[in-house]
Amino acid sequence: MAARRTVSLVTLGCARNEVDSEELAGRLEAAGWELVDEADGADVAVVNTCGFVESAKKDSIDTLLAASDSGAKVVAVGCLAERYGTQLADQLPEADAVLGFDSYADLSTHLQSVLDGVAVPSHTPGDRRKLLPLSPVARQEPAASLDVGIPGHAGGPTVLRKRLEGGPVAPLKLASGCDRRCSFCAIPSFRGAFVSRRPADVVAEARWLAEHGVKELVLVSENSTSYGKDLGDLRLLEALLPALADLDGIERVRLSYLQPAEMRPSLIEVLSGTPGVVPYFDMSFQHSSATVLRRMRRFGDTDRFLDLLAQVRAAAPEAGVRSNVIVGFPGETEADVAELERFLIGARLDVVGVFGYSDEDGTEAESLPDHLDQEVVDERVARLQSLVEELTSQRAEERIGTTVSVLVESPDGEGRAAHQAPEVDGTTLVAGGRVGEIVQAVVVDSEGVDLVATPVRVPAPA
């Protein structure tokens, strides 16, 4: 009989990391590891780190240090490990191994080596964009091999995933990587070039999730609007969304991470008019001043963005729209901030994340001239956050009196309407309803971005 081996998985960062962790859990369980909830008492604690911004990096380091205090062997994986590799290993001797994405396929062997006291070489970072051909369509053959270590692309007839969290909602990965070159963003360098998962693999995993009690699929990637371009069909997403919504057991399909510059009328139409696909638009505007956007290596401006939102609301008046903006970018002027404020006032967004600019290692923006003093950045963040809180509260108040479909997620009646994504967009409280049930309700009150609703009573048959 094989010796009992226990492993704890800790996930930090975004929903894409959640999917990666569940793939790792599936691999480890198939290799005979027993998954446990806590690092205390586990043989190995695997921390799936986030390396996106400075605060996330700090959280990852703190979590690795806390895991080392548990007595378990500690292994760092995920974006921070992929991005810094040997540098992280040198600066954090508490970690027994620092592994990159290429190690995921054989993670069980690496963990056993750590348990046996055998030194595992630390990941050597590199620009992952160079692992695959420049031409998107030429990527599929090399990407089909796990030699390039693309998380979430194992594929095959069997779904390689184990759910780590219960509940009626689950993220589902569409693609990995990004081909855009935003001057402030390091993600493409460590997540790699854009690679779509094949539709059959996405549908198979969605069906598996439905069989495990999932009612809402949240489709995630670094840039969902690019889905299919490397498969030779940029409108493949418009065909995939209805196919997912038609699966038995799936009540809602939500698409996230949309690039405004890549939005197209056919996608707006499918998102707005397909039963089971929620009219939800998670669009990364980042700013609205044309001058700042060009320095960011992005496209658009206030009027173009407002026109895009008008198209969305013409198709679906109650559509949910969220975004993020960066203030304090190098060279940003007061006139640029005023232009961003004009956009936010006109946009009527449901939720807006406001972030102050900070340098990211290895990005173009790091070397741009005209960096602003931190005091100026902080002042602008506070100013925009105050405006956003007022505007999003007003938008929530506008929904009072409307009927919403609420997916109940807790026994106390807390759930989310169609315009609210998990964890980031607020909640709707509705009396009654079982966990996993979708309740039709009328909004009667709001507090910030959160709503209170009363169920619509369907008359009993005569």
Side-chain angles (χ1 to χ4, degrees), residues 128 131-133 135-155 176 193-198 201 230-231:
R128 291 187 65 83
L131 294 177
L132 296 169
S135 168
V137 176
R139 289 177 192 156
Q140 280 303 308
E141 185 174 345
S145 168
L146 284 175
D147 290 341
V148 295
I150 302 174
H153 286 252
S176 288
F194 185 89
V195 181
S196 302
R197 294 183 68 196
R198 294 189 178 275
D201 292 340
D230 50 325
L231 299 174

Side-chain angles (χ1 to χ4, degrees), residues 50-57 80 83-84 182-187 189-190 326 329-330 356-367 371:
C50 178
F52 180 40
V53 294
E54 202 60 39
S55 59
K57 297 175 194 174
L80 190 72
R83 186 175 180 184
Y84 293 103
C182 301
S183 63
F184 56 85
C185 184
I187 288 176
S189 66
F190 59 85
I326 297 173
F329 194 78
Y357 171 80
S358 61
D359 284 333
E360 279 296 309
D361 297 337
T363 60
E364 179 186 352
E366 188 180 22
S367 60
H371 275 57

Side-chain angles (χ1 to χ4, degrees), residues 43-332:
D43 294 320
V44 184
V46 176
V47 180
N48 191 352
T49 60
C50 178
F52 180 40
V53 294
E54 202 60 39
S55 59
K57 297 175 194 174
K58 183 179 184 303
D59 287 345
S60 295
I61 296 295
D62 290 345
T63 302
L64 287 163
L65 291 172
S68 70
D69 291 338
S70 70
K73 298 287 187 180
V74 178
V75 174
V77 299
C79 292
L80 190 72
E82 175 68 34
R83 186 175 180 184
Y84 293 103
T86 49
Q87 180 183 345
L88 177 64
D90 291 343
Q91 296 180 359
L92 195 73
E94 291 85 354
D96 296 281
V98 175
L99 304 176
F101 297 150
D102 292 335
S103 299
Y104 283 16
D106 201 20
L107 185 62
S108 173
T109 299
H110 295 306
L111 298 192
Q112 187 60 55
S113 295
V114 168
L115 276 185
D116 293 341
V118 177
V120 178
S122 298
H123 166 64
T124 301
D127 189 338
R128 291 187 65 83
R129 291 171 293 190
K130 298 177 181 178
L131 294 177
L132 296 169
L134 289 175
S135 168
V137 176
R139 289 177 192 156
Q140 280 303 308
E141 185 174 345
S145 168
L146 284 175
D147 290 341
V148 295
I150 302 174
H153 286 252
T158 303
V159 174
L160 193 60
R161 181 171 176 177
K162 176 181 174 61
R163 291 206 72 196
L164 297 175
E165 300 287 342
V169 184
L172 174 60
K173 186 175 287 191
L174 279 178
S176 288
C178 184
D179 286 344
R180 303 193 72 87
R181 294 295 179 264
C182 301
S183 63
F184 56 85
C185 184
I187 288 176
S189 66
F190 59 85
R191 274 288 183 179
F194 185 89
V195 181
S196 302
R197 294 183 68 196
R198 294 189 178 275
D201 292 340
V202 177
V203 171
E205 189 166 319
R207 185 178 291 112
W208 179 86
L209 288 168
E211 292 168 355
H212 285 75
V214 171
K215 301 295 183 184
E216 178 177 330
L217 301 172
V218 182
L219 306 181
V220 299
S221 73
E222 275 73 29
N223 177 10
S224 297
T225 37
S226 283
Y227 181 77
K229 71 177 185 179
D230 50 325
L231 299 174
D233 185 357
L234 191 54
R235 296 194 177 187
L236 197 57
L237 189 57
E238 283 89 316
L240 179 61
L241 289 168
L244 294 171
D246 283 344
L247 292 174
D248 289 341
I250 297 301
E251 301 285 344
R252 297 205 303 208
V253 177
R254 183 182 305 278
L255 184 62
S256 58
Y257 303 108
L258 307 177
Q259 173 60 240
E262 296 180 21
M263 289 299 295
R264 48 197 181 267
S266 59
L267 183 55
I268 293 174
E269 181 181 353
V270 169
L271 287 171
S272 302
T274 305
V277 177
V278 295
Y280 177 78
F281 295 80
D282 172 17
M283 292 193 283
S284 173
F285 291 113
Q286 302 299 358
H287 213 284
S288 73
S289 162
T291 302
V292 174
L293 286 168
R294 298 309 173 270
R295 290 168 71 89
M296 289 179 168
R297 302 288 186 195
R298 296 174 68 86
F299 302 93
D301 56 43
T302 295
D303 293 330
R304 291 182 188 180
F305 290 162
L306 291 178
D307 180 65
L308 174 58
L309 291 172
Q311 295 175 49
V312 166
R313 287 174 175 137
E318 298 302 324
V321 187
R322 70 159 285 118
S323 192
N324 297 313
V325 297
I326 297 173
V327 293
F329 194 78
E332 182 189 65

Side-chain angles (χ1 to χ4, degrees), residues 6-31:
T6 58
V7 58
S8 167
L9 268 167
V10 181
T11 306
L12 303 171
C14 64
R16 300 183 292 276
N17 258 16
E18 292 177 29
V19 179
D20 294 349
S21 285
E22 294 195 349
E23 178 189 325
L24 293 178
R27 290 182 181 279
L28 291 173
E29 187 173 70

Side-chain angles (χ1 to χ4, degrees), residues 49 63 81 104 123 192 214 321 340 343 354 371 385 392 414 423-424 444:
T49 60
T63 302
Y104 283 16
H123 166 64
V214 171
V321 187
L340 178 56
F343 166 69
V354 179
H371 275 57
Q385 282 180 333
T392 54
E414 188 173 89
E423 300 181 7
V424 293
V444 296

